[in-house]
Amino acid sequence: PGESLSQTEEAAKARGTLVHLLLEHLPLLPRPDWAAAAGALIPDAGLAAELLAEAARLIDTPELGWVFGPESLAEAPFTASLGAARLSGTIDRLVVTPDLVRCVDFKSNSQIPAGPEAVPEGILRQMGAYVAALRQIYPDRPIQPFILWTRTAQLMPLDPEMVSAALERAAIP
């Protein structure tokens, strides 16, 4: 049973990686080119069609327009200090305005938490790391983290202090 669970987890991670890839590239392309791009990125035609439908649904959701709009940065790299360590990573989507910095992480989990308080600790810590880094990069602006649950197109805002507390619980030196 453990092997099938790990295979299932591996398949879910691979699926999530492909959805991320589509969400990174499709907004940059004219809509008529999306199917060809999905086919080029995902060799399995059936899977490409399924994931293209999921990605298109997200990109087409009006409330998510700002996430995929031209002012958003896809796969935004960052480096910052975290205690004595250097932290570097990539934020799925970053939207910086003069008054606010919004960071969005895509999660393709099949089980969606009922609310922010039910988000797994590891995800909260990850988002806390993003907030910590972005506070160093943009010290004059509030930082607002979000998770976009890709399977349901649900955008979940997270309390920046809640994710910061989760990062502190990780006890990084």
Side-chain angles (χ1 to χ4, degrees), residues 20-41:
H20 275 70
L21 198 57
L22 292 176
L23 292 174
E24 177 184 354
H25 292 284
L26 295 183
L28 302 172
L29 300 172
R31 190 174 198 89
D33 296 343
W34 285 9
L41 293 168

Side-chain angles (χ1 to χ4, degrees), residues 3-172:
E3 186 175 294
S4 68
L5 178 60
S6 72
Q7 289 171 348
T8 302
E9 288 176 10
E10 285 302 313
K13 286 182 182 178
R15 183 187 189 286
T17 298
L18 294 174
V19 170
H20 275 70
L21 198 57
L22 292 176
L23 292 174
E24 177 184 354
H25 292 284
L26 295 183
L28 302 172
L29 300 172
R31 190 174 198 89
D33 296 343
W34 285 9
L41 293 168
I42 305 169
D44 178 322
L47 184 59
E50 174 190 337
L51 299 184
L52 173 58
E54 182 173 321
R57 181 174 45 88
L58 291 164
I59 295 166
D60 290 341
T61 298
E63 299 80 29
L64 299 176
W66 64 269
V67 174
F68 300 105
E71 67 284 349
S72 72
L73 301 170
E75 299 297 314
F78 69 89
T79 302
S81 296
L82 189 59
R86 291 297 289 165
L87 173 68
S88 62
T90 305
I91 298 172
D92 291 337
R93 284 285 167 162
L94 184 64
V95 179
V96 179
T97 64
D99 302 325
L100 180 65
V101 176
R102 294 178 283 185
C103 61
V104 181
D105 193 62
F106 304 146
K107 295 296 180 197
S108 57
N109 305 34
S110 57
Q111 299 292 317
I112 311 301
E117 64 287 341
V119 171
E121 184 75 3
I123 294 174
L124 294 177
R125 288 178 181 171
Q126 174 191 3
M127 299 307 290
Y130 292 169
V131 168
L134 291 169
R135 283 180 173 157
Q136 291 175 42
I137 298 165
Y138 300 100
D140 60 330
R141 298 172 215 193
I143 311 299
Q144 177 58 62
F146 295 87
I147 297 173
L148 176 56
W149 303 101
T150 62
R151 292 205 181 184
T152 59
Q154 178 187 355
L155 186 67
M156 181 182 287
L158 299 173
D159 179 331
E161 298 314 314
M162 180 177 83
V163 300
S164 296
L167 180 63
E168 289 196 19
R169 289 192 294 274
I172 295 172

